[in-house]
Amino acid sequence: MKDSSTLPRRHVLVGSAAALSALGLAGWTGSAGAQQAAAVTKPLPAYAGWKSSDALIVHSSGTLETRRSAFGTSVITPSNQLYVRNNLPAPDAAILDNRDAWSVTVEGVKNPRSLTLAELKTLGVETVATVLQCSGNGRGFFPSKPSGTPWSVGAAGCVVWSGVPLRNVVAALGGLTDGAAYLTGTGGEKLPEGVDPLSVLVERSVPVKAMDDALLAWEMNGEPLSLAHGGPLRLVVPGYQGVNNIKYVKRVAFTSAQSQARIMSHGYRMSPPGSKASPDQPSVWEMGVKSWINGPLPDKGALKPGQVQVHGVAFGGTRGIKGVEVSVDGGKTWQAAKLIGPDLGPFAWRQFALPVRLEAGTHVLASRATDTAGNVQAEQREENLGGYNNASWRDHAVTVTVA
Ligand SMILES: Nc1nc2c(c(=O)[nH]1)N[C@H]1C(S)=C(S)[C@@H](COP(=O)(O)O)O[C@H]1N2
Ligand SMILES: [Mo]
């Protein structure tokens, strides 16, 4: 299947569930849709074999995307439908055999040392709902076709973490040393041989203020953290882009400078188009305000004229959501949607819904969120080399047909 978007719609009705959604996706991701349709035939990788294949698009063994049609109207994304992004092969599952024996080294505190997961569990526990989103989510909408996975909307989910607040750990180790400007987390993957470790190491730095909300988490959605999502232990930095949430975390350091790892110095930078990535460009840290519609979607075929519930998700990084507006005329006019379901705090997403009557014809449905600080979701993406931080409401609009 090279370009499924050229198939007539009646083929959608006879296709498999997987192909069906892929065809629908092709309708709103343009050129990226074709690549997603091609990827759909790949099986789930072994470390994520427990996931729902119907709910996911397998781009590669390290990149699984939640289908737009799989996001329901509940707040929490079920673990088996959550996207996965692994920059390196996942560690051996044996690291989960004795979870409590996993250890993490803490540096940049008065009394630096290693702590086991068993010890961490004695220092406190908190639970927090956060949006986990890859900064490349929405890259598939960039006409410039940046290299990297052409994610549509599904490199994101909202999940609940349990773990020890990082500030408790710091307090137990005597507090921060002077000059701590960054919180640096290091992933515990085995690095490939024969290459400069800094070129592959997953190590990220965020401003030290992120410590106030950060957790060392061992549980996600009420279950011990899976290997796919960073078990036995993960650094969770609420409100920050996915890459800063270090899986299999083996070292946490409070440092005066940012990590020298390539993924920090050159990767995940907001590099202007035509430039070269460099450490002086902004890194992808806090998430901005963003929303998108998850229903109705074009992949269900033509709608009947009448009332529909336009629904979707909205989040505001560290600031939470004040409100969401919906447009059914491509952004000419807007109506306030209702925030529905439980509010799980500033880092979670809110579900929204708006009942509208749609007559026969073609309708462009869009959503536009406002965070609690009054920032309004932008119409246009910020062009950049890597295709990061796409929050454009126009890019995320969907076109539905009523007949
Ligand atoms: N150790 C480690 N942590 C990591 C990564 C990784 O490859 N290794 N990928 C990062 C990226 S780019 C993203 S978007 C998120 C993905 O989290 P998930 O796979 O649990 O959805 O994890 C981040 N943390
Ligand atoms: Mo990512």
Side-chain angles (χ1 to χ4, degrees):
M1 210 191 305
K2 268 215 198 91
D3 183 4
S4 57
S5 61
T6 58
L7 289 177
R9 181 160 292 280
R10 66 190 161 80
H11 285 234
V12 171
L13 301 172
V14 297
S16 68
L20 207 150
S21 301
L23 291 167
L25 275 167
W28 70 70
T29 57
S31 59
Q35 293 171 49
Q36 286 171 339
V40 94
T41 50
K42 291 193 191 111
L44 289 169
Y47 71 93
W50 52 276
K51 295 232 168 204
S52 163
S53 53
D54 286 350
L56 293 160
I57 303 157
V58 181
H59 293 287
S60 73
S61 63
T63 45
L64 317 183
E65 173 167 10
T66 310
R67 292 182 187 285
R68 197 169 191 165
S69 56
F71 287 116
T73 46
S74 294
V75 178
I76 297 304
T77 308
S79 304
N80 67 355
Q81 302 188 10
L82 182 65
Y83 86 101
V84 175
R85 168 69 169 119
N86 270 7
N87 290 271
L88 290 170
D92 196 298
I95 66 170
L96 300 185
D97 286 350
N98 186 355
R99 291 170 178 269
D100 280 351
W102 180 265
S103 69
V104 60
T105 305
V106 184
E107 295 167 18
V109 289
K110 300 261 163 61
N111 306 304
R113 67 178 178 94
S114 268
L115 293 97
T116 62
L117 179 43
E119 278 181 276
L120 289 174
K121 286 177 175 172
T122 68
L123 296 179
V125 62
E126 261 177 28
T127 181
V128 62
T130 76
V131 172
L132 182 68
Q133 177 187 231
C134 181
S135 47
N137 201 28
R139 182 185 287 130
F141 301 123
F142 278 72
S144 56
K145 295 197 179 65
S147 69
T149 308
W151 309 103
S152 164
V153 297
C158 183
V159 293
V160 180
W161 309 98
S162 290
V164 61
L166 190 54
R167 58 182 190 280
N168 288 21
V169 180
V170 168
L173 301 182
L176 294 181
T177 50
D178 293 341
Y182 298 98
L183 155 58
T184 296
T186 311
E189 287 107 333
K190 202 170 159 280
L191 302 182
E193 313 254 321
V195 291
D196 174 4
L198 288 179
S199 70
V200 284
L201 182 69
V202 179
E203 184 174 87
R204 292 279 305 172
S205 303
V206 294
V208 71
K209 69 168 190 235
M211 179 185 85
D212 296 342
D213 299 318
L215 289 187
L216 288 171
W218 52 80
E219 206 177 290
M220 190 185 89
N221 289 351
E223 293 171 328
L225 191 51
S226 62
L227 188 71
H229 295 296
L233 191 68
R234 183 170 193 166
L235 174 64
V236 172
V237 187
Y240 281 64
Q241 297 284 10
V243 68
N244 303 296
N245 294 256
I246 300 294
K247 310 201 251 192
Y248 335 107
V249 64
K250 66 165 192 198
R251 175 176 170 263
V252 168
F254 296 92
T255 49
S256 57
Q258 296 177 19
S259 167
Q260 298 291 303
R262 184 99 193 153
I263 197 171
M264 186 71 216
S265 60
H266 292 75
Y268 298 88
R269 295 271 167 187
M270 291 295 279
S271 314
S275 71
K276 269 195 164 162
S278 84
D280 56 5
Q281 296 153 351
S283 193
V284 298
W285 282 335
E286 283 186 54
M287 294 190 285
V289 61
K290 181 170 178 179
S291 72
W292 64 79
I293 286 164
N294 286 321
L297 296 176
D299 69 339
K300 295 276 159 37
L303 298 162
K304 295 260 176 295
Q307 174 121 327
V308 294
Q309 302 291 331
V310 178
H311 67 88
V313 295
F315 52 99
T318 57
R319 290 164 305 280
I321 283 297
K322 181 156 86 189
V324 182
E325 300 159 288
V326 165
S327 172
V328 294
D329 55 13
K332 288 194 201 76
T333 61
W334 297 90
Q335 295 174 68
K338 193 171 165 204
L339 299 177
I340 59 167
D343 179 353
L344 296 182
F347 311 116
W349 64 26
R350 296 299 311 266
Q351 303 286 327
F352 65 84
L354 180 74
V356 292
R357 252 199 86 78
L358 294 180
E359 305 302 343
T362 296
H363 306 274
V364 179
L365 314 181
S367 65
R368 184 173 71 179
T370 303
D371 71 16
T372 56
N375 300 304
V376 180
Q377 184 177 353
E379 176 174 357
Q380 305 297 348
R381 74 190 91 80
E382 183 181 341
E383 298 296 345
N384 67 91
L385 211 58
Y388 298 121
N389 291 0
N390 191 351
S392 152
W393 63 252
R394 194 165 282 291
D395 281 358
H396 290 78
V398 291
T399 304
V400 294
T401 305
V402 176

